Amino acid sequence: RKPSLSSEDLSNIDKAIQQQPDITIDEIIEKLDLPVTNETVRKAVIKMGYVYKKKSLYASERERP
């Protein structure tokens, strides 16, 4: 079977992650206009050696003195 993502797509994904490390999978698909599912991109990102880091949400009141 032919791969869904070309080597050019993979290098573009890598560049997008390096430029914006907290980019989401859906943002990558939208930014690069990829005709694949988010699962395909997620698997490619993991194969590249990147790992997920959970975005932590916290109350803005913690920043006030």
Side-chain angles (χ1 to χ4, degrees):
R1 233 174 108 170
K2 184 179 139 196
S4 301
L5 294 171
S6 67
S7 59
E8 183 180 337
D9 290 334
L10 294 174
S11 67
N12 289 338
I13 291 170
D14 191 34
K15 288 176 189 174
I17 293 172
Q18 288 177 7
Q19 288 174 355
Q20 187 182 353
D22 63 341
I23 194 168
T24 63
I25 299 295
D26 291 328
E27 289 172 345
I28 291 171
I29 293 170
E30 185 179 320
K31 181 177 180 179
L32 301 176
D33 195 31
L34 298 172
V36 294
T37 64
N38 60 355
E39 183 66 14
T40 303
V41 176
R42 185 187 73 81
K43 286 180 182 179
V45 168
I46 290 172
K47 274 189 180 179
M48 285 184 219
Y50 292 105
V51 293
Y52 283 109
K53 184 170 182 181
K54 185 177 178 180
K55 288 186 180 182
S56 59
L57 300 175
Y58 60 92
S60 60
E61 291 84 14
R62 291 176 63 183
E63 295 179 359
R64 284 192 259 162

